Amino acid sequence: MRGVVFDGTRIEVVDDLDVRDPGPGEVLVAISAAGLCHSDLSVVDGTIPFPVPVVLGHEGAGVVEAVGAGVTHVAPGDHVALSTLANCGACAQCDRGRPTMCRKAIGRPGQPFTRGGRPVFQFASNSAFAERTVVKAVQAVRIPKDIPSPSAALIGCGVLTGVGAVLNRARVDRGDSVLVIGTGGIGLNVLQGARIAGALRIVAVDANPAKEAVARRFGATHFLTSTEGVRDILPTGADHAFECVGRIELIREAIDLLDRRGQAVLLGVPPATAEASFLVSSMYLDKSILGCRYGSSRPQRDIALYAELYREGRLLLDELVTQTYPVEDFEKAAGDAEAGRVARGVLTF
């Protein structure tokens, strides 16, 4: 079968990939569409260290082909969106409703694929850039069949991360002010999360002025090409500032632009060894700096919720899909993503 494999030196679309059958508590999914996220490209450039060879992709939707023993919540023929959380469901963190903190869901790459008889790693417990993948049952969330696959695919990463950061981690409330730095796929979902939460002023910042129209479509009430004008709109600072780029200087700006009791939420991914600085004295007015993994999401609940919000017209998905590409055009899709020409490119099989 076809898949996108990174061998540590180059990316290749191969056609000789194999995947094993699902075991107990697992699901085999035929991928229909998969979003190209910058995290996939971060594996290639080394920002995210990962063993190779690896099948990339982690934002997918498809149709269940087979289930392993003990799986009852999905069945062959069901349409599903996939999460990256292969959480155990039994530890203290899972029991508290914090699957993103499950230690079995972090840093334990499996090898369900083979190529030429040699094992190939799975990225983010998902590997959606393959015609078929095997995931833990908890990662497959049934969705209505009338949601287009390219749109449904985006729920599993960009929407869970961006909207979830607003609703689950920051808990933005009605009337709050929100600053969003970076309006790529994650930033746009932060914007619409803030809109859904009822934020009053939502300021989007992006160096590319061409992104203003789509930022406003997703919920921005103001758009700036730098943070210099933020204080003109929010004189006392923002209640919530989301850094969605992954640059340490922008992290500092997000912190400096907080109001009293404000919180800066870090969503962008800088290099693993990056360090940021801030004025300690500025934090004593009850300000907070919050990390956020995967939108602090509970995928079985949140994916179903976001699917229904989409069907009601309250959550935008179709507008996120800037362009679809057959998987053979991965190189072009990656180039468009790197150049910022697309909010989200989607690979199709």
Side-chain angles (χ1 to χ4, degrees), residues 152-172:
L154 304 188
I155 300 177
C157 178
V159 176
L160 278 179
T161 299
V163 178
V166 174
L167 302 182
N168 301 329
R169 186 65 168 128
R171 298 186 181 274
V172 173

Side-chain angles (χ1 to χ4, degrees), residues 3-346:
V4 179
V5 177
F6 175 57
D7 65 5
T9 303
R10 66 190 185 101
I11 304 172
E12 185 180 3
V13 180
V14 305
D15 59 7
D16 58 350
L17 199 63
D18 292 306
V19 66
R20 63 171 173 77
D21 293 332
E26 294 181 333
V27 177
L28 175 67
V29 178
I31 299 295
S32 302
L36 176 55
C37 174
H38 276 280
S39 293
D40 299 303
L41 302 178
S42 292
V43 174
V44 178
D45 67 22
T47 301
I48 297 178
F50 207 87
V52 294
V54 57
V55 180
L56 297 174
H58 65 285
E59 188 179 66
V63 179
V64 175
E65 280 201 349
V67 300
V71 178
T72 59
H73 75 289
V74 293
D78 284 344
H79 287 215
V80 293
L82 302 182
S83 86
T84 67
L85 286 183
N87 59 295
C88 71
C91 69
Q93 296 294 348
C94 287
D95 192 51
R96 293 187 182 104
R98 301 172 186 165
T100 58
M101 295 296 104
C102 175
R103 282 173 169 78
K104 291 188 177 180
I106 302 174
R108 294 172 182 260
Q111 294 176 304
F113 302 101
T114 56
R115 187 183 178 209
R118 296 182 177 181
V120 179
F121 285 100
Q122 183 176 43
F123 178 53
S125 303
N126 190 306
S127 288
F129 293 167
E131 288 188 85
R132 291 173 182 80
T133 190
V134 169
V135 298
K136 290 186 67 172
V138 72
Q139 296 176 251
V141 184
R142 187 170 54 198
I143 58 173
K145 294 182 178 181
D146 58 359
I147 300 180
S149 293
S151 298
L154 304 188
I155 300 177
C157 178
V159 176
L160 278 179
T161 299
V163 178
V166 174
L167 302 182
N168 301 329
R169 186 65 168 128
R171 298 186 181 274
V172 173
D173 202 358
R174 293 162 295 180
D176 285 355
S177 60
V178 172
L179 169 64
V180 181
I181 301 176
T183 61
I186 298 300
L188 290 176
N189 279 297
V190 173
L191 289 173
Q192 69 171 332
R195 169 177 52 79
I196 291 168
L200 184 60
R201 290 182 178 84
I202 306 172
V203 182
V205 176
D206 198 291
N208 184 353
K211 293 186 176 182
E212 179 172 0
V214 69
R216 289 186 180 275
R217 176 74 180 90
F218 274 74
T221 59
H222 301 77
F223 183 89
L224 300 169
T225 54
S226 77
T227 58
E228 291 181 5
V230 171
R231 290 284 183 182
D232 295 331
I233 302 165
L234 305 173
T236 61
D239 295 316
H240 313 272
F242 296 83
E243 201 282 339
C244 305
V245 180
R247 288 169 47 188
I248 58 173
E249 65 271 26
L250 296 179
I251 291 173
R252 173 59 184 267
E253 290 181 23
I255 296 168
D256 288 347
L257 287 166
L258 292 176
D259 196 356
R260 297 183 178 193
R261 302 192 74 253
Q263 39 186 25
V265 183
L266 310 185
L267 296 177
V269 183
T273 57
E275 297 182 1
S277 63
F278 59 92
L279 291 174
V280 176
S281 60
S282 72
M283 303 302 294
Y284 291 118
L285 292 173
D286 286 5
K287 298 180 184 181
S288 305
I289 302 171
L290 305 179
C292 184
R293 172 172 160 78
Y294 205 42
S296 302
S297 60
R298 287 181 276 175
Q300 287 289 337
R301 178 200 68 171
D302 291 350
I303 288 176
L305 169 63
Y306 299 154
E308 287 305 314
L309 287 173
Y310 164 79
R311 297 176 85 197
E312 293 178 5
R314 297 170 61 190
L315 184 137
L316 306 180
L317 292 178
D318 302 340
E319 294 82 353
L320 282 168
V321 183
T322 312
Q323 187 170 340
T324 59
Y325 308 80
V327 68
E328 291 79 8
D329 286 348
F330 176 83
E331 187 174 342
K332 183 179 188 309
D336 287 346
E338 287 277 30
R341 288 188 287 266
V342 293
R344 215 37 149 220
V346 177

